[in-house]
Amino acid sequence: MKTKFLRSILPAFVFMLAVVSAFAFKGIEEKALLAPETGWINLPGTPCTVAVECDNNPLLEEVCTVIYNGVRHQAFGKQDPSSMNCARVLYKLQP
């Protein structure tokens, strides 16, 4: 009797566990995309020279800027880590 009951309930329990765990880890995947990222300052004649810490979360509204040699510069992110093209807008880190 116990094995008959177990055989009929076990597949439903496994299916329910799979559905619950799929939704439980959905938020973790999205948070991994929004993380601190290295931004780069484009100085005249030398693009992507100075590295600064920024964020790639577009909900932060304030762009990533840094003061370098007394001048405020906007930091940009790289589309491809190996390229020297820094054009992607990054945002300030939240404290």
Side-chain angles (χ1 to χ4, degrees):
M1 181 70 182
K2 285 183 182 180
T3 58
K4 192 175 196 181
F5 177 73
L6 186 62
R7 284 184 183 170
S8 64
I9 297 296
L10 188 61
F13 177 72
V14 170
F15 179 73
M16 218 169 40
L17 182 65
V19 169
V20 168
S21 62
F23 284 108
F25 292 107
K26 182 72 174 162
I28 293 173
E29 292 173 1
E30 293 172 1
K31 287 184 181 179
L33 298 175
L34 303 174
E37 184 176 328
T38 302
W40 300 88
I41 298 174
N42 291 325
L43 296 175
T46 52
C48 306
T49 52
V50 181
V52 296
E53 282 298 312
C54 297
D55 201 327
N56 60 5
N57 186 353
L59 299 176
L60 296 177
E61 296 181 9
E62 194 171 345
V63 295
C64 185
T65 58
V66 67
I67 297 175
Y68 181 76
N69 288 339
V71 179
R72 182 177 298 270
H73 297 277
Q74 182 177 352
F76 295 96
K78 292 182 178 182
Q79 297 291 351
D80 181 21
S82 62
S83 75
M84 290 302 289
N85 183 13
C86 301
R88 194 162 44 95
V89 176
L90 295 177
Y91 303 91
K92 278 195 175 184
L93 284 172
Q94 291 295 331

